[in-house]
């Protein structure tokens, strides 16, 4: 394909990420979260995160004053396991299945934990949420991890105990990361894509 026919637009995200922000207080009430505690968002994608039990159990042992929101997707085993965890009085676990309001939870998140999927990373970058990447699809997603590490906008750690320690360090501001907003490739690709398609269609109609 000739280069002149290619157009680089970035990752297309749900338009909800660009809409009017709802007050954080209202979102916390809606999702059953505590008033001011930091939110640790664990995202496993449609099939659920790998090594989730090691990460969650390690976080609970730290007795953090935080809310853990674990998005389990279609992984019923993960969902059931997390709901049965005996959490302490400081750390609350909220296990949810497949959701359509990722934008709301990510706006509340103090840290994102999950695999190196391009959409999840782009969403976290857009909202400047620190990332702890725990897994990736070799070849397909390794470049995403390299980009995060090169630009110091997140961490990569497969070990659940070590990943939990990084999360704690982020919450306690013991580590310093670059602002994600300086490294996202595009923040309005969904609209740019629309405009390019309409420009192409109208251009063809004129001939």
């Amino acid at each position: 394909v000739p280069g002149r026919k290619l157009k680089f637009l970035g990752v297309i995200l749900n338009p909800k990420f660009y809409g009017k922000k709802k007050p954080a207080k209202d979102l916390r009430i809606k999702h059953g979260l505590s008033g001011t505690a930091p939110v640790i968002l664990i995202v496993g994608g449609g099939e659920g995160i790998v090594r989730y039990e090691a990460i969650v159990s390690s976080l609970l042992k730290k007795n953090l004053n935080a809310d853990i929101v674990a998005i389990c997707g279609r992984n019923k085993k993960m969902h059931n396991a997390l709901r049965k965890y005996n959490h302490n009085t400081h750390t609350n676990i909220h296990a949810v299945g497949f959701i359509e309001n990722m934008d709301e939870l990510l706006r509340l998140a103090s840290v994102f934990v999950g695999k190196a999927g391009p959409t999840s990373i782009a969403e976290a970058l857009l909202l400047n949420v620190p990332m702890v990447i725990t897994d990736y699809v070799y070849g397909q997603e390794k470049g995403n991890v390299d980009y995060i590490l090169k630009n110091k906008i997140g961490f990569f750690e497969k070990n659940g105990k070590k990943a939990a320690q990084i999360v704690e360090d982020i919450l306690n501001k013991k580590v310093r990361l670059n602002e994600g907003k300086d490294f996202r490739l595009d923040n309005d690709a969904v609209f740019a894509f629309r405009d390019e398609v309409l420009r192409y269609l109208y251009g063809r109609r004129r001939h």
Side-chain angles (χ1 to χ4, degrees):
V1 179
R4 59 184 174 80
K5 292 187 176 182
L6 299 177
K7 185 75 173 181
F8 179 75
L9 300 175
V11 180
I12 296 177
L13 303 180
N14 192 310
K16 291 180 180 180
F17 280 88
Y18 311 101
K20 184 179 180 180
K21 297 180 181 179
K22 297 180 180 179
K25 180 180 179 181
D26 294 345
L27 291 179
R28 284 178 175 272
I29 294 174
K30 175 181 178 179
H31 295 286
L33 304 177
S34 56
T36 58
V39 175
I40 302 169
L41 183 61
I42 301 179
V43 182
E47 301 303 330
I49 193 172
V50 178
R51 291 178 289 277
Y52 63 89
E53 289 185 273
I55 296 172
V56 172
S57 62
S58 295
L59 286 171
L60 290 178
K61 290 177 182 177
K62 291 183 175 298
N63 201 31
L64 299 173
N65 180 24
D67 283 296
I68 298 176
V69 179
I71 300 177
C72 307
R74 293 183 290 268
N75 191 328
K76 293 183 178 179
K77 180 180 178 181
M78 175 181 177
H79 190 266
N80 293 333
L82 293 183
R83 291 183 66 183
K84 295 177 181 179
Y85 260 96
N86 292 319
H87 53 269
N88 53 51
T89 57
H90 294 287
T91 308
N92 299 311
I93 299 179
H94 308 265
V96 298
F98 212 88
I99 65 170
E100 296 182 353
N101 52 8
M102 175 64 80
D103 59 304
E104 295 181 353
L105 292 174
L106 203 50
R107 290 185 193 281
L108 295 174
S110 298
V111 58
F112 165 94
V113 182
K115 65 186 295 290
T119 301
S120 295
I121 290 176
E123 291 170 347
L125 280 174
L126 180 64
L127 299 180
N128 299 320
V129 180
M131 292 173 279
V132 179
I133 304 302
T134 59
D135 200 11
Y136 64 89
V137 177
Y138 190 80
Q140 181 177 334
E141 296 176 344
K142 187 177 184 302
N144 299 339
V145 176
D146 294 340
Y147 184 82
I148 289 172
L149 297 179
K150 177 183 177 181
N151 293 294
K152 298 181 180 180
I153 50 179
F155 298 88
F156 174 69
E157 180 54 66
K158 285 189 173 184
N159 181 278
K161 185 176 181 179
K162 292 181 180 179
Q165 182 59 54
I166 294 173
V167 169
E168 182 180 28
D169 289 343
I170 291 175
L171 296 182
N172 292 330
K173 302 186 185 304
K174 291 184 177 181
V175 294
R176 187 171 182 176
L177 296 170
N178 290 322
E179 288 287 325
K181 64 183 180 182
D182 295 328
F183 297 95
R184 61 178 182 249
L185 302 180
D186 200 337
N187 65 350
D188 61 353
V190 62
F191 306 111
F193 180 82
R194 173 203 62 193
D195 294 342
E196 286 296 322
V197 170
L198 291 176
R199 187 177 297 113
Y200 174 80
L201 293 176
Y202 282 121
R204 289 289 297 272
R205 289 175 181 174
R206 291 194 183 100
H207 292 294

